[in-house]
Amino acid sequence: MTRVLAPTAASLAEAARLLREGRLVAFPTETVYGLGADATSDEAVSAIYRAKGRPASNPLIVHVADADAAARLAVMDERAQRLAARFWPGPLTLVLPRRPDSGLSAALSAGLSSVALRVPAHKLAHALLGQAGLPVAAPSANPSGRISPTEARHVAADLGDAVAAVLDGGPCPVGVESTVIDLSRPGPALLLRPGGLPREEIEALTGPLALPDAAEAPRSPGQLASHYAPRLPVRLDATEPLPGEALLAFGPDVPAGAHATRNLSETGDPCEAARNLFRMLRELDESGATAIAVMPIPAHGLGEAIRDRLHRAAAPRG
Ligand code: TXA
Ligand code: MG
């Protein structure tokens, strides 16, 4: 088993040293746990792809300590600067034109001339980035296609020895991955992935976000239909459980009769639901049920990201 490190000054120093040595370190962010490695090292970046079983065609997000560090890696136009000033640190990832002299490993961009950058708000992530003194490539710390981890023990259970250490920061306060916005080409800002920063908050600054053209090659190669998948089949918009099904409920009125029940939020709060989503999916997946039935969830606020993850969890498996 990998080592789970309590969040002390000594563990932070050790985690930073491991990253500088090219090892893999999982760490908490406000969204989900990331599987981090030195973004300037081809070997370290390849180790991420191996540990996750991730297709080389799916590029990684690079985490940096602040917007100045981001501007050394990518070209930040006026729109990017405004978004960064308003929402970084926070659950927003910007896809930007990569600088030719960025020093980033080519392996992390899957052949694209752009790079995805994010400044996480979590205190431990921020401290780790500062001490490592490196840009840190970090996808979510789950095997490719499975449920993202929101607790250190999820990472230890899923990735085991593939990761040198897991920094334990407790449960992630947002619970769904960052919102990904593409600013790498002229034209309107594109919403590639709804996430921990609600679309409404971004649009208040940018005006309406466009969606990528489905006819075009996928702009965000990670947005394959099946993803975030538990082992059990998932059935959406259920009003009541079928015999043998577990129920992922939402709101105060919960039908009886499920094999096991978890309620994302009894009060119908999308933020609470996002925090609970991945842990509850894992729990129901292990409940011995035949399938997971999910009650309808409204699309406002973080509801958009929750619905996106649940649709992918329910999609036919590739
Ligand atoms: O909250 C998060 O974003 C977490 C934490 C750890 O920061 N990370 C995360 O990474 O969710 P990952 O690798 O699971 O998802 C990254 C997404 C994928 O959908 C990927 O295709 C997309 O970002 N992406 C990365 N680089 C891109 C690029 N240059 N162009 C378009 N999409 C990109
Ligand atoms: Mg992921």
Side-chain angles (χ1 to χ4, degrees), residues 35-143:
L35 179 62
D38 177 356
T40 66
S41 156
D42 289 338
E43 294 90 90
V45 167
S46 310
I48 292 181
Y49 282 90
R50 271 200 308 280
K52 278 183 66 85
R54 181 169 174 122
S57 57
N58 190 358
L60 305 179
I61 297 175
V62 176
H63 297 64
V64 289
D66 54 38
D68 288 343
R72 288 194 288 273
L73 303 176
V75 181
M76 294 184 67
D77 65 9
E78 191 265 330
R79 280 183 313 180
Q81 287 174 27
R82 268 198 306 147
L83 282 166
R86 174 76 181 78
F87 296 117
W88 279 353
L92 173 68
T93 294
L94 298 177
V95 175
L96 300 167
R98 178 161 68 157
R99 290 190 185 281
D101 61 350
S102 68
L104 293 171
S105 161
L108 63 78
S109 279
L112 301 169
S113 57
S114 59
V115 63
L117 297 176
R118 142 162 157 78
V119 177
H122 197 288
K123 277 207 188 81
L124 282 176
H126 200 260
L128 181 63
L129 289 166
Q131 288 198 30
L134 294 164
V136 172
S140 50
N142 51 294

Side-chain angles (χ1 to χ4, degrees), residues 19 34 40 50 54 99-100 135 157 160-161 163 167 183 212 244 265-266 305:
L19 285 174
T40 66
R50 271 200 308 280
R54 181 169 174 122
R99 290 190 185 281
D161 287 339
V163 37
L167 202 51
L183 299 172
S265 171
E266 276 175 36

Side-chain angles (χ1 to χ4, degrees), residues 186-250:
L190 294 182
L191 176 65
L192 296 186
R193 178 176 74 182
L197 181 62
R199 175 212 286 260
E200 297 90 324
E201 286 190 41
I202 301 171
E203 290 185 331
L205 197 75
T206 61
L209 292 168
L211 292 175
D213 184 352
E216 219 185 320
R219 288 286 291 269
S220 197
Q223 295 305 87
L224 304 170
S226 171
H227 214 91
Y228 311 104
R231 293 178 200 287
L232 293 179
V234 173
R235 185 168 70 85
L236 300 177
D237 295 323
T239 47
E240 54 186 33
L242 300 174
E245 278 185 339
L247 181 68
L248 188 60
F250 180 80

Side-chain angles (χ1 to χ4, degrees), residues 266-289:
E266 276 175 36
T267 60
D269 170 11
C271 293
E272 182 184 23
R275 255 192 321 273
N276 285 330
L277 176 67
F278 290 140
R279 175 178 49 81
M280 289 184 172
L281 276 175
R282 283 171 185 265
E283 289 169 358
L284 294 180
D285 208 21
E286 317 221 298
S287 67

